[in-house]
Amino acid sequence: MKTIIGLMALLFANATAWANDVKLASEIFVERVQQDAQGKTKTVLEEPKKVTPGDKLLFVLAYKNEGKAAAADFVINNRIPDSVSFAGTESSDAVMSVDGGKSWGKLSALKVTEADGSVRAAAPADVTHVRWQFARPIPAGGEGKVNFRAVVK
């Protein structure tokens, strides 16, 4: 079993943002499917105490402009921890890297070169980084969240 402390340390160490006075806060949740008394299933987010291979995680990065002026050119880069496989993001603005952050694009446009020199379409498990680049300035006091999902290896 892997402890979530290691995952949290990786998340905090790897999420970076560029913009004056914008602060980041990170959280990780385990997504679990539960059944209620009527037999209906729902997905719940739980505080992770321990995680095991196959557990589905939700990484949430909250941002807030604590400055007195709008923050332009705001970017969040997050390296995907080695202990998980990227499983997607709902944000249409997110771009990914499969080469350690050297190049970026939509996952559907990225390619991976195999050891034998062959090239194939990138898959979610190939993602090494995810990036959100905000097109509009974040106003003073403005805040929001971005997230991505991953599966424990």
Side-chain angles (χ1 to χ4, degrees):
M1 288 193 190
K2 300 178 183 189
T3 64
I4 200 64
I5 295 169
L7 288 172
M8 290 293 289
L10 284 171
L11 179 65
F12 284 110
N14 295 311
T16 57
W18 292 280
N20 293 334
D21 300 318
V22 177
K23 305 297 182 225
L24 282 179
S26 303
E27 295 180 283
I28 302 175
F29 300 97
V30 177
E31 290 185 315
R32 303 221 190 268
V33 176
Q34 293 182 343
Q35 200 169 50
D36 65 17
Q38 291 77 31
K40 293 182 182 179
T41 60
K42 66 178 181 175
T43 301
V44 296
L45 300 176
E46 297 178 350
E47 179 184 335
K49 294 186 176 32
K50 288 187 179 182
V51 295
T52 59
D55 281 347
K56 296 176 182 179
L57 303 177
L58 176 66
F59 291 76
V60 179
L61 299 123
Y63 59 88
K64 182 174 184 177
N65 183 355
E66 295 181 348
K68 295 180 181 179
D73 302 320
F74 182 62
V75 176
I76 299 174
N77 280 338
N78 201 112
R79 186 176 70 80
I80 305 301
D82 293 336
S83 57
V84 301
S85 290
F86 180 78
T89 179
E90 291 86 29
S91 175
S92 61
D93 296 336
V95 292
M96 292 86 198
S97 176
V98 295
D99 61 8
K102 296 175 189 165
S103 60
W104 299 89
K106 296 292 182 185
L107 185 58
S108 60
L110 297 174
K111 305 287 183 202
V112 173
T113 302
E114 298 285 0
D116 66 1
S118 62
V119 178
R120 64 171 172 80
D126 297 316
V127 173
T128 61
H129 294 73
V130 61
R131 172 186 280 176
W132 296 268
Q133 188 165 359
F134 293 70
R136 291 179 283 174
I138 301 169
E143 59 188 319
K145 294 180 181 181
V146 295
N147 65 61
F148 68 93
R149 286 182 163 71
V151 177
V152 178
K153 292 180 182 178

